[in-house]
Amino acid sequence: MRTRANERQPPFITDGGRDSSRDLGQERHRILRELRQQLTRHPAIEEVQGIPDGKLRELRADINPSAFGRDAERATLRVAWWPAPEDSEFTVHYSESTGYDCGFHREPNPHVDGKAHFQERSGPGDDYEYESVSFSVETPSRLLWTILDQLVDRLQ
Amino acid sequence: METDEETTETPGDEAWKEHTSSFDRVQSVALTVAEPRPASWIADEALVAENTARRHLQRLVELNVLTADAEGGATTYFPDPVYVRTREVRALLEEHDQDSLAALATELKSDIENWQAEFDASSPEQVRRQTAEDSFSAEDSRERRHVASDWEHTRYRLSLIEDALERYGEFTNRPAPA
């Protein structure tokens, strides 16, 4: 399809196909900001902060474990989102003071078919168990509520 | 019970509706899109009727939160880049003073220099291209995808901090009461 006429392209396109209409760094800021807002609306979430401090690459929320039906002293939720030209990836991962942790992830994974999976383990010394899952929604904010709802089911 | 809202069976939808307003959901969906979307699409994702979405979207355009484009048929909506930038610059100014912003900029620049050296690349796009190479293990590809994303995120963040520092006096100025 390439012709002489369109060979003079802006440098950011010849530099590896950076799509001038889609700034993934800006998009990640937008998504993290909205996810943070949504987390503060959820009744089980106590406090949300961006980490690392100032760099704001992901979110960490303090959770009240009893609101999730758990008998633990403390629990945190880690939320990360990586917008990509093809499939965006994400992590919503729950960890509690008992050592137990689990989470929903969407990223290619050697342990299960498909991109999205649930993984859990009883403690840091154990191996994760993986299970393939699928999500019917795409929008980050809605997906977060879907995942939090499924997390409660898994934890009870 | 909601009457003008869609009923769906996706888990979490009920809780989302219970804890947010229809305006909040429309705004949140519209501010996370990867490409311009019409009101019908945003309505579906935000669990509101299309007329409700249309009304809220119009309001968000008036507030300069979104831009609307009516070219080529159905109007599509996308986050206003000036709004997005201003919101992030404001958040940085609320959380940091001038010295801390300058220190953060130094740290972010150093992160980028480290990625340039470690991945032998001059841009995050170049790191993304590397992931297509067969020679990398799944773990290496994953690391590169995440580094590319962190780099894109850091590049945008640095531009925000530059804006905040350039107009620090103006943005934080508040005349003393007479």
Side-chain angles (χ1 to χ4, degrees), chain B:
Chain B
M1 289 300 286
E2 315 245 19
T3 49
D4 85 327
E5 321 249 319
E6 285 206 353
T7 50
T8 66
E9 287 167 25
T10 308
D13 283 356
E14 283 310 312
W16 194 26
K17 287 202 276 190
E18 186 186 338
H19 295 287
T20 54
S21 70
S22 61
F23 183 83
D24 290 339
R25 292 194 303 280
V26 166
Q27 172 163 256
S28 194
V29 168
L31 280 173
T32 56
V33 294
E35 59 188 277
R37 297 288 190 178
S40 56
W41 188 94
I42 294 168
D44 283 350
E45 285 294 310
L47 311 175
V48 303
E50 194 171 328
N51 282 341
T52 309
R54 225 171 270 288
R55 201 173 68 240
H56 293 328
L57 289 165
Q58 188 48 45
R59 183 78 186 120
L60 288 163
V61 170
E62 285 161 14
L63 293 167
N64 294 317
V65 173
L66 303 176
T67 58
D69 184 359
E71 239 177 90
T75 302
T76 55
Y77 300 87
F78 195 72
D80 181 316
V82 179
Y83 169 78
V84 172
R85 174 164 290 271
T86 309
R87 178 166 78 154
E88 294 299 334
V89 168
R90 186 177 296 112
L92 280 164
L93 289 164
E94 280 166 5
E95 288 159 19
H96 302 272
D97 63 15
Q98 203 166 4
D99 288 345
S100 144
L101 282 172
L104 183 55
T106 305
E107 269 190 64
L108 294 178
K109 280 178 192 161
S110 142
D111 286 346
I112 289 180
E113 281 163 18
N114 290 339
W115 290 321
Q116 283 171 335
E118 189 179 347
F119 298 95
D120 191 23
S122 59
S123 72
E125 291 76 24
Q126 210 177 337
V127 177
R128 266 193 204 289
R129 274 205 308 280
Q130 293 173 355
T131 64
E133 290 170 26
D134 296 337
S135 51
F136 292 119
S137 68
E139 190 49 43
D140 283 346
S141 285
R142 175 178 178 273
E143 184 193 7
R144 278 174 169 73
R145 287 197 308 277
H146 289 186
V147 164
S149 182
D150 283 353
W151 191 340
E152 288 155 352
H153 182 262
T154 301
R155 179 170 63 189
Y156 181 71
R157 195 155 189 78
L158 258 178
S159 77
L160 297 172
I161 296 171
E162 280 161 13
D163 283 1
L165 283 172
E166 192 172 328
R167 300 210 171 264
Y168 189 83
E170 177 189 334
F171 288 159
T172 55
N173 181 43
R174 208 190 154 100

